[in-house]
Structures are given as C-alpha cells and as structure tokens.
Amino acid sequence: MLRVLALDFATLGGSALRTSATHARPFTSSTQQVTRKLQVAVVGPPNAGKSTLFNRFLRGGPHGFRRVKSEKRKHNRSRSGGAGRAIVSDVAGTTRDRRECVGGIGDIEFKLFDTAGVDDDVMGMVDSGGRFREPNTNRKAETVREEIVLRGMAEQTLAAVDLADVILFLFDGRALVEGGSPHEVVDMGRWLRKNQSRGGGDGRVVMCANKLEGDAWAQMGGNDYALDEIEKLGFGEPIMISAEHGDGMADLASVLLEVQEKIKEEEGWLDHGEEDEEEPPISVAILGRQNVGKSTLLNRIIDENRVITGSVAGLTRDAIAVDFESETSRYSIVDTAGIRKAGRREADGDIIEDDSVREAMRAMKLAHVCILVLEGEMLQLTKQELSIADHVIREGRALIVVANKSDTLKGSPTEYAMGVKAQLDHMVPHVGDVIVVATSALHGEGVENVLPVVEQVYHKWNTRIQTAALNQWLKEIQDSKPPPSVNGRRSKMKFIVQPKARPPTFRIFANVSEKDMPENYIRYLRNEMRKSFGMEGMAIRIGVTNTNTKNPYAQKRATADERRYKRRGSVR
C-alpha cells in the first residue's frame, strides 16, 4: 500500500528559513571537523573564465574528479557526489549559485568555490552599509524577479569570500591587452575589499589575469596603464594564467602552498593521514519540473540560504551538491535544475538549459536516493514526472515522492497519494509502491519527515537479505501460488540468493529458464517481495537460472576424446 506522511500543521515546530528581510550573510551549517582543507574561492567579473578554472582544478586534482568529502567513498558510482563540472558558456551570468568541490593542483588539495560573475548590477544589490537591498516590488514583475536573482548571486559570492582562505580574483587579461578599460576590475576590487572586511573574511586575494596563453601579455604589447590601476588595489601584481590551456598553474600552486603552510602552522592542522575513516554520506538528488520548490526544499532541510530561490522558473542551472549532517546520518544533497520536455527546450533554443538537464540526469545516476518533487495542487503526476520516475527506477536508484506546496492542496494528502499511485501503477508498474511525503517547503511544514524517509529507503535499498529468510519466503510463495507449468511440465523454484544490493538483485534457481518463466509471475514475485521485506520505491531485479541444463563442456570433452582415439589409431 502506498504510504503517505502528512504533518499536523497545528503542532509545527522547528526553526524558520532566513527570509528576504534578513540582512545577515549565509553561513555553512556543517559541523567543525578536526581537520580541514585549504578553502579557495574563485571570483571575478562575468565571462572571466571562473568556471573554466573551476573545471581545470577538478580535472587536475591529485585524486581526480570528486565532490566535497567524497575522498573515501567505497562505491565508484557515487564518487563525484552527483555534482559534476560547472556549466561553461559564452553567455554572461551562466553561473548563479555557489558551487563547492574538492579541487587539486600538484600535491595541494583544497575545497574550491565557484561563484557568479559580479557586475555593476550585482554590486548594486549591496548598499554602502554592507546590507543586501530588497527588491523593489513597485517595479515590473520581470524586474523584481531579476533583482531577486542578482541579490542571490551577491549573497552567494560574498558567502564564498567570507569562507575562503585564498580568493582568486579572476579577470579577462586578453581584453585589457587589446585595449579594454580596467575600470570594471578596479570597481569590483574596491567592492570586494569593502565587503570582505565587513563580513569578517581575512582570505588572501590573489589577482589572476586569465586568457593569456603563452607570453601573450608581452607579445601583444601589454597595457601598463591597466596594470598600474589594478596594482593600486593593493592585492599585488597579477599572475598571468590561462585556465583553458593550463598556463600559469605552477605560479598559482606556489601561492596556494605558501598560504596552506602558513595556516597549518597557525591552526595546527592534522595531516590527511591522521583523519578518521568515515562512511560515505547518503547521496540524494532532488529532481522535478521547473518551479516546484526543489531549491526551497533544500534550503529548508539544511536551514540555510544555500541556493537561490524565487518564483521565476529556471533559476537553478548547475547541479549544486551540499553536505549536511543530521543526528543520525551524513548526506550529500544535490539540487538540480528543473527538467522540461526536450521539445520545449528545443523550441526555446536554450543551450544552457540542455546542459543543466544533462547535469540533473547525471546527478540522478550517481545518487543513492532520488526525491521527486511535485506540486501538491496538481493532485497527480504529469507525464514529464512519470518519465523522471521511470528513469530513476530503470537506473536502479531508490525513489521517494515529495508533494510540495501542500498548503495549496485542494484535497487531502490521501487523495493526492491515491492519484499518484494509480498513475504509477498504470504507467510505470515496475516502480512499485512509493512513499509520499506531504510538505510545504516555503512554510517548513512536513520537511522534517523527508530525511528520515530517505534514510529508511536507503537502508532498504542498500541491505542484503539473509539467504535463509529468502528461501523461507520462496517456499511460502511456492506453496500458496506455484509458478505455471511450461509445456505441460511442472515448474519448480528450488532456491533463491541475493548476489547484490543497490538495487536489490535476486537470482532464482529453478527447473525452467528465465525466458520460460512468465513475466506476470516475475512481477507477482516482485510485488510480494516488496510487501514482505518493505522495499517500497525501488527497482527489484529478479533473474532465473535453469539448473537442469546439461554440462556445456560435456559434448566438447567427448569430441576431444574421439579425436584423441583417432590419432592413436592412425599412429598404430
């Protein structure tokens, strides 16, 4: 039976998410660890190559392509935590949220932040007192939505600056060589210095002139005026680099190593070899259509303004992985972009959205548990959501459904659940029973039920059932409803084993082959297994092996013996 978790709204407790009226900058909610890595933030104007440098550090890290805290993962499929490369394009403002990963250069490993491009509009969202401006609601709706995005970009950029030990201030060096004005870089440098001191950050700012392959600055004549203006900021002489081609990485490594050694002495860091072994976190991907409340749900779960939210569809572009620790488990929760139908994306011609959807599907494939977020007022799944659920189950991930915006439900959560179940049973019967959690992420109602359900489903998905219990179950099933006969011959299931979990996979040994076992009976076994062992919302894979087949090598051996006798006879 489909299970529904609804909340008694009258008894709601817990802390509220920071609202737009709060002027404090967001801080991470993760617990302090005995050891920590150097923290590096990449900031700069739009189209300076920040995401390209972010991706280079991912590819060039000493341990490969990984997410924060994923160094000791035991399962290869989840080694990247669902958060892959940053989306790169020539369109200014492609990056909006703050991305985090474990990066590396040479023998140095660090926690890396990618941030949005900062232009005059983003800087304008912070007033002279260091407070974030409120969107002007008297303007057009489109302008208000744009200001919400700009404010979120400013918040996330300054949050990365406050956390960083090293701030790589990236700007387009080639544009300056070709005669461009340095005023954009100088204005942002002043803005950065002012807000860094107010936010309490004390990271070292390193100027990096990007897009200068080889000795481009000297060969193209340089721009001494621009260089003098940038050096007046007091951050030192810029390092000439090319994020795309890897030039100047040795100079960057020297700076990072110098800062790392200094902080190690001041704070007494432990070496990586002294860190305690930890179990990998539960990897969770939040999926769904656009504007159903995925980002708001993530912010409410971790009780932090971690990703940009708003009423406009399509705010999230990158897959943003966030580490979170509850009282019972550690999680890596990935917020993904809304998934629209391919036809609608193609009609709009938005290449960035195509990249966003690919990142969302990649996060789904690498997750342990997927949360499919729906609008509660719809009272049922759309075809697009059914397609997402089908992809999740076919990929072998565990699935739960979150009916968000439950405060707008016209009917009861039970009615909603029955509508969901009817559609799933009809359209994707291999999904099976799914747990549905009714929430209102905006108001915090029912959100406390989400992670306990995730943990419960994960353990079921990750658990091996004892062989004795499985064979007792198989005996009871066969006694109550034996498999149909094949070609007038009685079918008999002899025993069953579980060769693997993630997803649960079983092998039945019988006197018939898998192709002779009717599909409707295999489906019956799956449904009974779900009921008996509580495996809701996950694929159950059952295969059949015929134990009555002859030894495939017997005939070959006989043939070999015959040839041997013939050779002996010919010799005689």
Side-chain angles (χ1 to χ4, degrees):
M1 180 181 295
L2 186 67
R3 289 192 284 166
V4 184
L5 297 183
L7 181 70
D8 183 3
F9 298 156
T11 60
L12 177 67
S15 58
L17 185 68
R18 297 183 182 93
T19 64
S20 59
T22 305
H23 299 295
R25 293 179 188 160
F27 294 93
T28 57
S29 59
S30 59
T31 56
Q32 292 292 329
Q33 297 184 354
V34 177
T35 61
R36 77 172 180 90
K37 293 180 175 64
L38 187 72
Q39 301 194 99
V40 179
V42 183
V43 304
N47 272 353
K50 298 180 295 299
S51 294
T52 303
L53 183 62
F54 179 90
N55 291 338
R56 172 160 293 279
F57 284 146
L58 277 174
R59 290 194 301 268
H63 301 286
F65 193 70
R66 292 172 305 154
R67 180 204 50 80
V68 172
K69 289 188 181 178
S70 63
E71 302 89 337
K72 302 185 182 300
R73 284 190 179 275
K74 299 177 182 178
H75 305 291
N76 292 333
R77 288 190 61 84
S78 57
R79 62 184 178 275
S80 63
R85 299 173 58 197
I87 297 176
V88 179
S89 79
D90 295 331
V91 180
T94 298
T95 302
R96 291 172 175 170
D97 284 295
R98 164 170 49 106
R99 290 177 58 88
E100 299 180 10
C101 78
V102 167
I105 179 171
D107 293 331
I108 310 169
E109 192 175 79
F110 46 83
K111 184 176 179 180
L112 181 65
F113 304 103
D114 185 24
T115 62
V118 177
D119 55 13
D120 291 339
D121 293 332
V122 175
M123 289 188 285
M125 297 310 297
V126 185
D127 62 21
S128 58
R131 296 182 297 270
F132 297 107
R133 297 184 185 277
E134 297 293 337
N136 188 347
T137 56
N138 295 324
R139 299 181 181 179
K140 294 181 180 180
E142 183 178 350
T143 304
V144 174
R145 289 194 291 266
E146 182 180 350
E147 289 185 349
I148 292 174
V149 174
L150 292 173
R151 173 186 165 130
M153 293 164 68
E155 287 179 340
Q156 296 302 324
T157 298
L158 291 179
V161 168
D162 292 343
L163 292 169
D165 301 307
V166 179
I167 301 163
L168 301 181
F169 188 160
L170 220 65
F171 60 92
D172 190 344
R174 179 172 292 274
L176 296 183
V177 171
E178 295 173 349
S181 172
H183 294 310
E184 181 184 41
V185 179
V186 173
D187 290 343
M188 183 186 166
R190 293 169 180 166
W191 178 83
L192 177 63
R193 179 183 295 282
K194 180 173 63 176
N195 288 284
Q196 182 189 17
S197 60
R198 286 186 178 138
D202 58 354
R204 175 176 172 180
V205 179
V206 179
M207 302 297 292
C208 300
N210 192 26
K211 306 183 183 181
L212 295 175
E213 296 79 11
D215 197 16
W217 182 276
Q219 292 178 2
M220 299 178 69
N223 188 335
D224 293 337
Y225 166 72
L227 192 61
D228 291 341
E229 290 297 311
I230 291 172
E231 288 183 358
K232 288 178 182 178
L233 291 171
F235 296 137
E237 182 179 350
I239 300 175
M240 311 300 176
I241 69 168
S242 172
E244 184 173 1
H245 298 281
D247 295 347
M249 294 299 109
D251 295 330
L252 273 184
S254 302
V255 174
L256 295 178
L257 182 60
E258 177 186 341
V259 176
Q260 178 176 272
E261 294 304 319
K262 179 181 178 181
I263 298 177
K264 274 187 176 182
E265 293 179 4
E266 294 175 353
E267 300 184 7
W269 289 3
L270 297 176
D271 293 332
H272 292 305
E274 300 178 50
E275 295 183 17
D276 295 332
E277 292 282 344
E278 290 183 329
E279 287 295 322
I282 301 174
S283 180
V284 182
I286 302 178
L287 307 171
R289 296 182 297 111
Q290 289 186 345
N291 210 23
V292 295
K294 300 182 298 297
S295 298
T296 305
L297 177 65
L298 172 61
N299 285 344
R300 181 64 71 173
I301 288 174
I302 67 175
D303 194 20
E304 177 190 340
N305 269 343
R306 179 59 183 81
V307 290
I308 299 174
T309 61
S311 58
V312 61
L315 284 181
T316 302
R317 285 177 172 170
D318 289 290
I320 306 298
V322 179
D323 288 320
F324 179 72
E325 187 169 349
S326 68
E327 296 180 356
T328 57
S329 298
R330 294 170 51 241
Y331 301 89
S332 172
I333 308 175
V334 183
D335 181 31
T336 65
I339 302 174
R340 291 198 301 165
K341 291 182 178 179
R344 294 184 179 179
R345 299 199 306 271
E346 184 177 350
D348 291 345
D350 190 345
I351 299 176
I352 297 177
E353 185 178 356
D354 289 339
D355 290 338
S356 299
V357 172
R358 279 192 287 270
E359 283 296 303
M361 299 308 291
R362 177 184 179 278
M364 178 270 291
K365 293 177 180 179
L366 296 177
H368 300 143
V369 181
C370 294
I371 299 175
L372 178 58
V373 183
L374 319 174
E375 281 190 90
E377 60 185 357
M378 297 290 291
L379 293 181
Q380 59 182 0
L381 284 80
T382 64
K383 289 185 178 179
Q384 180 67 1
E385 288 159 344
L386 285 168
S387 176
I388 295 172
D390 180 59
H391 275 82
V392 170
I393 296 301
R394 290 188 184 279
E395 191 62 35
R397 309 301 97 187
L399 174 69
I400 71 170
V401 172
V402 168
N404 196 29
K405 305 183 182 181
S406 60
D407 52 317
T408 63
L409 277 175
K410 298 177 182 178
S412 68
T414 303
E415 293 176 351
Y416 169 79
M418 296 306 297
V420 170
K421 177 168 174 49
Q423 280 203 330
L424 288 174
D425 288 346
H426 177 66
M427 302 295 294
V428 280
H430 55 283
V431 170
D433 292 338
V434 179
I435 300 178
V436 179
V437 185
T439 68
S440 173
L442 185 63
H443 302 290
E445 298 166 348
V447 176
E448 71 276 9
N449 295 324
V450 174
L451 288 187
V453 172
V454 168
E455 186 175 357
Q456 169 193 335
V457 172
Y458 168 76
H459 288 306
K460 291 288 185 181
W461 177 78
N462 194 40
T463 299
R464 290 178 180 267
I465 303 172
Q466 293 183 352
T467 304
L470 281 174
N471 283 279
Q472 178 63 32
W473 170 84
L474 186 67
K475 181 178 181 302
E476 294 174 358
I477 290 294
Q478 191 159 230
D479 291 343
S480 61
K481 187 176 180 179
S485 300
V486 177
N487 297 327
R489 182 185 179 188
R490 179 189 172 193
S491 299
K492 182 178 180 181
M493 298 180 292
K494 300 179 180 179
F495 63 96
I496 181 174
V497 296
Q498 183 182 2
K500 67 182 289 290
R502 310 163 65 94
T505 303
F506 303 90
R507 174 64 55 179
I508 295 176
F509 293 86
N511 64 347
V512 295
S513 63
E514 186 168 346
K515 66 178 182 180
D516 292 329
M517 185 72 74
E519 177 58 32
N520 60 352
Y521 191 78
I522 296 292
R523 187 162 55 247
Y524 164 75
L525 293 177
R526 289 196 195 101
N527 294 334
E528 289 299 315
M529 188 168 285
R530 284 196 180 96
K531 295 176 184 177
S532 301
F533 299 105
M535 295 182 175
E536 301 91 351
M538 66 189 72
I540 297 178
R541 297 173 179 173
I542 299 178
V544 179
T545 298
N546 189 351
T547 59
N548 288 348
T549 55
K550 295 181 179 179
N551 185 349
Y553 300 101
Q555 184 62 33
K556 293 182 179 180
R557 182 173 180 178
T559 305
D561 290 342
E562 290 176 2
R563 288 199 298 268
R564 191 178 304 114
Y565 291 140
K566 288 181 179 179
R567 286 197 299 272
R568 290 177 180 176
S570 62
V571 171
R572 290 200 284 272

